[in-house]
Amino acid sequence: MEWLLYNTAIGAGGARCVFALWRLRRSDRGRVLRERLSRSRAARVSLYVLAIYAAVGFVALLRFPAADGVREVTPIDLVFSLVPRERSYSAPFADTIVLAADEDASAPENQTAGVHPLGTDVSGYDVLYGVCKGCSTALLLVIGTMLVSFPLGLFLGVCAGYFGGFVDDVVQWLYTTIASIPWLLFVMAFLLVFGRSLFWICLAFGLTSWVELARLVRGETLKLREAPYVRSAKAIGLPTWRILLRHLLPNLSHVVVITFTLPASAIILAESVLTFIGIGVQAGGTSWGRMLVDSQVELVRNPPIWWVFAGASLVGILPLVLALNIAGDALRDALDPRADL
Amino acid sequence: MGVPSRHCASGWILNVKVRPSGLRVQLLARSPTGRSSVECRSTRLWYISALISETVAQVSSQELSACGKGPPQRFSTPPRMAPLAAIGATSPPAATAISASWMAGRPRCSVFPLQFQRHRAKANVSSWRVVKYFIIGLLWAVFLAFCLACNNNPYPVSPASAGVFFTSLDENPSTVDPQRISDVDSHFIGSYIHDTLFEFHYLKRPFQVIPSMADAPPVWRWRSDFPGLAGRRVYALRVRLRSDLRFADDECFATTNFDSSSPSSSRGSARGRSITSDDLILAIKRSADDRLEPFGKSFLMDKLIGFREFHERLDGAVESADAARIAAAYARTIAGVHRVDERTLEFAYAGPFPKALYFFTNVSSSPVPAECLKYYRDSYDRKAVASGAFRIREWRDHYRIVLERNPNYRTDDLYPTEGMPGDRERGLLAAAGRPMPLLNEERLRIIKRGPPRWRLFEQGYLDLYRNRLDLQERLMQSPRLLAAYAERGVRKNPELELTVFGWSFNLKDPLFENNPELRRAISLIVDREHIIELFLPGRAIIAHGPVPPGLGGYDAEYRAPYSRYDLDEARRLLRAAGYPDGVDPATGKALEIQLFDRAAAGRSPLYRYYIEQFAKVGLRLKIEELDFPSLNDKMHSREYQKIHWGWGADYPDPEIFLQLFYGPNADGTYYESQYRNGEYDALYSKIAQMPPSPERDALIRRMVARLAVDLPKVFLFHRVSHYFTQRWTASLQPNPLGYREMKYWDVDARGRAAATDEWNRTTLSGYLTVVGGAIAFALLAWISVRQFRARARRYS
Amino acid sequence: MRAYIVRRLLYFIPVWLGVFLLTFAIFHLRAPLTLAAVQLPQAPLDRLQAWVRNNVYHLPRCFNLPGDANIERADGRVHPELARQSLFHSQFFLSAGALLRFDLGTDRTNKPIADSLGERIGPTLSIMLPAFLLTALFSLALALLSAYLKDTALDRVLVFAAIALLSVALPAYIIGAQYVSEGWLLIAHVLRNSAVPVLTQLSLSIPFLITGSVLLEQYFGIPGMGDLLYAGLVAQDFQVIKALVYLGAFVYMLSALATDILYAALDPRIRLEAGAG
């Protein structure tokens, strides 16, 4: 029963996002945005790439109870159950599994049953399968972190900018303090004490990444504070919270979007570092960082088993982070209200 | 505005001028026609990138205006390239100050038509210079880095050094105090630096005990006239130490050695003194001291007469924390130890325990000089004074250990002259008759991860590679690698380890306590052959019981009833155990079982396999990884449901493995699973007193069968590991007990130097890469400059 | 100028206080028994309680009020001797006192952490300083080159390369480069850090050097600070991690201080403002 609720919730969330994007596309603002973005082909491609990753990651979040009643399966599992599973490692597009010196390449049991563009890992699962599963972890991490950092950053940044004075000082002190501790050490200490599940990782990341957003929001709020419509709203006597919510926040949305992409890429990279060090996703979990860690031993062989490593980094992490950076740059340029070229 | 289109493009020429006073930076950009120019000035050197972008922005706006796209603009807001947040706004005071100064010092630009054409050539030159210097600096940096990469010798000594052996350790040893040594890396180092009464013959199998510090092979006999134990029948050993034994030189001896030639000096020489019986007796007494967590305690407890009494008295004194009482307890004699004279000792045992003899081959029986113990006190873990073939010259934690030949070592420890058939052909007798140690120095680097270790070995910087935990065998058998081995002369020596690994159940845990069916079911759901084939190829054989092959009582034909793969039977057993289809009736969900294991890279696929297998019968397996000290801790404190635990032999007797299930060991460290079975215990007491014989083996087989049915532990594998040696490393015989081998080893340093030179030469492909990269870069730069100039030319 | 520096130095204090509060919050706010369970999973209650006692978690958190002595503490015992101790005999003040005395405590093997740090700082600096300098050189060179030859082939390639370098996961770098050789590993590390072509971000790249050093040291087998961090993590040693957090924050704050003072030195405006304000 819970599966139904869970999946409906996720589905509803996804639908809402798509709907919002659709509305944006149709609106005036969206049109201007599209025009600006269409100037750079790289930006357009990046956005499509992001959409693909988001879709895959999202789909991998849905859960259904499996036939054996113990584990859950995702649509990704279902799709890849159609892909034959080999006995062990096989190179991309290879005909045989990786063989030892005394094994016969023509023996039937050493032939690969399917075509694997990224090869297979030690248990014979397609590497692409692992990459897709890692995608959902990445998506979860990003969403989780944003859920923590956005409210914090927005709220504190707006308060600091709008109220100024003591509130401003306190908020600045707060984020200077957090920024003073190197993030890796902070995250390590946090995870060591509280736990290493995805929830705590998101919380740790969120608590370190709200600083950037707060700084920018504060700067913007300082400027907007003097804007005529805010002044007049104050003059009318609107309650403060209303001014903040209805008048200031919507005009900060471009800042929010701009500070979404860069931290998102940093989070994905950070997860791989953490897993490598040992406090990220634990053994048995799936994430790109985990794939990197587990496959590194295979690289020193002769000939090396490079495709698991390459799959996780070149097909998983690199395009996503690259797309995030490029799209982020383009969005920043497109959304900057000052640019009038 | 009607300006012809050939003016509408970039091709502006930048001119950088740095004025020393106030560090003013000025950027001048002139249009191709020379008709207009932009001059931007700033007082901030730091903002040079912003300055450049500002200028460029201005230029672009000028272009646009020149092309009829709008009137010329004067920039009044800061350019985008230097967001405030990024400019070192590390603290609010700095941020406010910087933003203020930014606003004040932002690049100011003026645009005006120019007639500076005659200065153009000069402008080009000066603008290039700055950039050129940086490019040159960059190239130097790359060149330097490249040079650093030329010689990759990680050691301060050259591979050509004769008599030096390079190898590695996996972890920083915890101690070299002989009575405290328990983990593997400490055991390696400890066995190299400590000497014992007896040792095993290097080459002969089955293992033979030969004298080391003792002057004759051990002779045991039953006696009724043991001094102090008259009338009691004891199994006694008499040993006499050689006369030429000395401890290594150490400053702790200077406190007691007094130079007779100069009686006025208060400090004597640091020369190591001769080893006496008292030193050995001290070693035995220390093995009773629980404060040290002594490894040798179980060898002697209830076997050496009087040991238990001594231990209990000492324990009581320690509890009271009274120093005088402790000293008094130490001073008492142990009934079963009789000091005949300063070089002769007699030991009395309650029976023919094999452990008794093996105690004297183990490093925990190494003699300890009392004055050094007093001198070093708490740092004896690192400063232990020993009498073995080597001594520690340098020990940098977590980095390296350097051992050097001990000049005080006895001179007639000769390399064996005979061995097993075939040893001569394998080169194992090449050093026959030579005094040991054959090496002068050994350098052990502590490398905690597998890939760097392997890389060093492949480069020729390690003479020996022991692969215990990593690097799968199967892929080491790939044709290309084997060919490379053959070409380089790398030899692979298999070593049948005397180890057993498996999942130890905690029989006190309510889940497993009275539920043998559950334990049996779990044993049936892992396909051991499949695991070996996929994850441990060539690295393990299936274990049907606790005793590994090579020891008495091991039956190669025996198949334990539950060491096979049978999911249907497992399901049936689960139902019988009260968990139909793996569902826990109490919670209605899948039964959850927790397993602790040691953290190691690359285990994820194996864990995934385990989880899948458990899921096939409806169980939910949770695996938690711990580092070894924590795992050890868990084991000893019995805080687990199921733990992946391995055990290795310190001496070649099956009893080591069987003792782990012996009930009375419950309060010690050699105990697993909380298993208690009367029949097993009775059998154990019997075999513990028997010398190796077919009758003993039969009893052991019965015990193994008992364990196979009760399953306090799921026996999984016996491990096979490998030594890899280089072609310049002299042949060596791996010893599953792994100890004291260093003195038998040798290297051909010249061969090593030649090989490392050859293998670490920067390859042609390396040079090509760098040169190719440089060419590519130069090409790009040339294309870009041509594009730049073409633009300029187009509009001049 | 002097007034500015003094003000800037004074600002050190509230930030350091903030760092201390934050670290204290992380390590002391959680229920002590839960913390003990993190260190000793599945241990029985008496072992957890012993751990709580040994690590001083049985003391009151903030102030040792007279009434507190009769409360059952986290280790399940009442500690009447607490009544005899001062008001400041609490977790908070003991930690603060230790920090002020620069007492970083001992690790799980009872070795003073200060000793470990002293031994390990040399090896780490031997890698990090050259890396930092090379990074500075590279990034400046690349930035200037890129700006001068704007919109040409080289510029576009450099910009793309910069983004691409930033996008590759650090472990991939370390692993891939070490497969080639050690020198290239260092170059790869430097290149990656140079990808941020804004000069003024150099001081902010110090934390990234710390991150990289953890992995680098493992693969070079260097017994530096990164190795200490990793060892502390693996052994779940709270003291070591705490000490390294303080050290890291301290280093970072010093570098930020240096940067700000450098700005002031180069900028007459800041000096003037400080003089006026």
Side-chain angles (χ1 to χ4, degrees), chain B residues 44 46 87 90-92 94 100-101 134 397-399 445 448-449 455 594 627 634 637 639 784 787 791, chain C residues 8 11 41-44 47 111 120 140 152-154 178 218-221 223 227 234 260 263 266-267 273:
Chain B
R44 316 272 176 267
W46 294 109
I87 310 176
T90 51
S91 67
S101 90
F134 274 106
D397 273 323
H398 302 282
Y399 186 45
R445 187 79 191 271
K448 300 183 186 176
R449 286 215 189 208
R455 191 168 42 89
Q594 193 187 49
D627 63 299
K634 279 235 147 300
S637 53
E639 295 151 10
S784 309
Q787 278 177 332
R791 273 185 268 166
Chain C
R8 183 64 187 84
Y11 196 71
Q42 284 207 339
R47 281 201 81 206
K111 178 175 176 187
R120 288 167 176 278
L140 188 60
T152 60
L154 186 64
Q178 65 107 32
Q218 294 233 308
Y219 279 91
F220 279 130
D227 187 52
V234 159
D260 287 344
Y263 271 123
L266 289 172
D267 191 339
E273 275 182 22

Side-chain angles (χ1 to χ4, degrees), chain A residues 173 177 179-182 185-186 188 192-194 196 269 272-273 276-277 279 296 299 301 304 309 318 321-322 325, chain C residues 14-15 18-19 22 26 30 35 38 163 166-167 169 171-172 175 179 215 219 229-230 233 236 241 244 248-249 252:
Chain A
W173 168 75
T177 302
S180 295
I181 304 182
L185 290 171
F186 180 88
M188 276 174 101
L192 198 62
V193 170
F194 288 98
R196 303 176 189 189
L269 294 174
S272 68
V273 171
F276 212 77
I277 295 179
I279 45 166
Q296 56 150 330
L299 290 176
R301 266 167 244 226
F309 192 82
L318 181 62
V321 174
L322 206 58
N325 274 320
Chain C
V15 178
V19 167
L22 196 58
I26 292 177
R30 220 171 175 207
L35 272 182
V38 165
I163 299 183
L166 276 174
S167 311
I175 295 172
Y179 189 46
L215 299 175
Y219 279 91
L229 187 63
Y230 182 74
L233 188 68
Q236 293 189 291
I241 305 290
L244 285 171
Y252 182 77

Side-chain angles (χ1 to χ4, degrees), chain B residues 428-635:
Chain B
L428 284 168
L429 291 172
R434 281 177 55 193
M436 297 195 290
L438 303 175
L439 294 167
N440 295 327
E441 189 176 305
E442 189 191 356
R443 304 187 78 96
L444 301 110
R445 187 79 191 271
I446 295 171
I447 306 178
K448 300 183 186 176
R449 286 215 189 208
R453 240 179 278 141
W454 181 247
R455 191 168 42 89
L456 276 184
F457 181 77
E458 285 208 321
Q459 290 171 340
Y461 291 118
L462 283 181
D463 300 324
L464 169 73
Y465 182 91
R466 269 192 193 102
N467 114 15
R468 292 203 319 255
L469 291 176
D470 45 46
L471 293 182
Q472 293 178 28
E473 167 72 15
R474 176 191 210 184
L475 296 140
M476 299 284 240
Q477 290 213 318
S478 68
R480 209 193 298 176
L481 188 67
L482 288 180
Y485 280 0
E487 190 201 337
R488 290 187 168 191
V490 170
R491 299 191 302 279
K492 195 170 62 145
N493 313 286
E495 176 192 348
L496 183 60
E497 292 185 14
L498 294 176
T499 54
V500 65
F501 287 87
W503 295 338
S504 195
F505 292 111
N506 184 354
L507 290 175
K508 284 274 180 347
D509 186 288
L511 193 61
F512 294 116
E513 190 161 8
N514 289 315
N515 208 336
E517 285 92 2
L518 179 60
R519 304 198 297 267
R520 290 172 193 156
I522 290 177
S523 180
L524 289 171
I525 58 183
V526 277
D527 187 352
R528 292 158 176 75
E529 275 171 14
H530 185 75
I531 293 178
I532 291 179
E533 188 199 337
L534 272 192
F535 305 107
L536 308 164
R539 303 276 322 279
I541 61 176
I542 299 179
H544 292 281
V547 181
L551 295 181
Y554 176 75
D555 185 351
E557 308 298 318
Y558 174 68
R559 295 285 174 269
Y562 296 102
S563 286
R564 59 179 210 280
Y565 183 51
D566 191 341
L567 284 181
D568 296 318
E569 179 71 8
R571 289 194 188 99
R572 194 188 67 76
L573 281 168
L574 270 181
R575 221 171 299 135
Y579 301 103
D581 292 325
V583 175
D584 184 358
T587 63
K589 297 212 284 215
L591 178 67
E592 190 172 296
I593 298 182
Q594 193 187 49
L595 172 70
F596 287 107
D597 197 350
R598 178 179 179 167
R603 286 266 182 89
S604 265
L606 180 58
Y607 290 158
R608 211 181 344 165
Y609 172 79
Y610 286 149
I611 294 174
E612 272 173 13
Q613 291 299 111
F614 273 69
K616 282 189 184 159
V617 296
L619 295 171
R620 188 180 221 117
L621 177 68
K622 250 185 57 172
I623 302 180
E624 189 163 329
E625 280 188 312
L626 299 172
D627 63 299
F628 186 68
S630 304
L631 198 71
N632 210 2
D633 198 48
K634 279 235 147 300
M635 182 56 167

Side-chain angles (χ1 to χ4, degrees), chain C residues 23-266:
Chain C
T23 316
F24 183 79
I26 292 177
F27 282 100
H28 291 261
L29 275 188
R30 220 171 175 207
L33 279 178
T34 323
L35 272 182
V38 165
Q39 283 258 272
L40 313 164
Q42 284 207 339
L45 193 57
D46 57 316
R47 281 201 81 206
L48 295 179
Q49 289 168 337
W51 185 91
V52 167
R53 246 188 336 273
N54 290 336
N55 285 280
V56 199
Y57 277 110
H58 62 291
L59 296 178
R61 270 200 198 102
C62 279
F63 290 104
N64 183 17
L65 301 166
D68 282 350
N70 299 318
I71 296 176
E72 185 178 287
R73 314 302 314 183
D75 65 343
R77 285 198 198 162
V78 176
H79 292 261
E81 73 271 16
L82 283 179
R84 280 176 267 125
Q85 307 283 1
S86 75
L87 184 66
F88 301 113
H89 189 72
S90 65
Q91 293 178 30
F92 184 82
F93 288 102
L94 283 183
S95 309
L99 195 61
L100 286 174
R101 285 192 311 262
F102 297 117
D103 175 13
L104 293 168
T106 61
D107 62 20
R108 271 175 105 163
T109 63
N110 287 325
K111 178 175 176 187
I113 295 178
D115 290 355
S116 298
L117 287 180
E119 286 168 0
R120 288 167 176 278
I121 198 146
T124 296
L125 281 181
S126 71
I127 291 276
M128 285 306 133
L129 277 182
F132 187 73
L133 289 172
L134 281 175
T135 307
L137 198 66
F138 266 60
S139 60
L140 188 60
L142 289 177
L144 281 177
L145 204 58
S146 193
Y148 183 80
L149 293 169
K150 189 160 178 59
D151 282 337
T152 60
L154 186 64
D155 172 48
R156 292 216 175 90
V157 166
L158 280 177
V159 167
F160 181 78
I163 299 183
L165 283 177
L166 276 174
S167 311
V168 177
L170 183 61
Y173 246 108
I174 302 276
I175 295 172
Q178 65 107 32
Y179 189 46
V180 178
S181 122
E182 290 172 347
W184 288 113
L185 175 53
L186 201 56
I187 292 178
H189 189 59
V190 167
L191 274 178
R192 188 177 188 275
N193 282 338
S194 314
V196 185
V198 180
L199 181 67
T200 52
Q201 287 224 358
L202 221 47
S203 73
L204 300 178
S205 75
I206 289 177
F208 296 110
L209 288 176
I210 295 179
T211 322
S213 89
V214 178
L215 299 175
L216 266 180
E217 289 181 6
Q218 294 233 308
Y219 279 91
F220 279 130
I222 295 171
M225 313 277 272
D227 187 52
L228 181 65
L229 187 63
Y230 182 74
L233 188 68
V234 159
Q236 293 189 291
D237 194 335
F238 289 158
Q239 287 289 29
V240 169
I241 305 290
K242 213 193 295 195
L244 285 171
V245 166
Y246 284 132
L247 187 69
F250 190 69
V251 166
Y252 182 77
M253 282 159 64
L254 276 184
S255 75
L257 182 72
T259 315
D260 287 344
I261 292 187
L262 212 58
Y263 271 123
L266 289 172

Side-chain angles (χ1 to χ4, degrees), chain A residues 15 62 132 142 162 180 183 188 209 211 215 255 263 282 291 303 340:
Chain A
L62 299 170
C132 290
V142 168
Y162 189 75
S180 295
W183 81 267
M188 276 174 101
S209 57
V211 171
R215 274 205 187 120
V255 175
Q282 295 301 291
M291 281 173 76
D340 47 12

Side-chain angles (χ1 to χ4, degrees), chain B residues 702-748:
Chain B
R702 271 177 61 187
M703 293 167 75
V704 170
R706 172 96 250 144
L707 290 179
V709 166
D710 284 346
L711 278 182
K713 177 169 180 168
V714 173
F715 296 106
L716 290 173
F717 309 111
H718 301 299
R719 210 163 52 186
V720 174
S721 64
H722 290 89
Y723 277 53
F724 292 89
T725 48
Q726 307 278 13
R727 70 164 178 255
W728 58 82
T729 312
S731 298
L732 47 94
Q733 170 73 297
N735 181 338
L737 305 176
Y739 309 139
R740 313 201 66 198
E741 328 144 290
M742 187 55 60
K743 62 184 183 181
Y744 300 101
W745 295 350
D746 197 7
V747 281
D748 167 22

Side-chain angles (χ1 to χ4, degrees), chain C residues 5-26:
Chain C
I5 294 185
V6 166
R7 235 187 23 197
R8 183 64 187 84
L9 278 174
L10 282 179
Y11 196 71
F12 208 84
I13 299 176
V15 178
W16 189 245
L17 182 68
V19 167
F20 170 67
L21 284 175
L22 196 58
T23 316
F24 183 79
I26 292 177

Side-chain angles (χ1 to χ4, degrees), chain A residues 17 19 68 70 72 130 159 233 310 324 327 334:
Chain A
C17 287
F19 182 62
D68 56 28
V70 177
E72 304 103 38
C159 286
L324 279 170

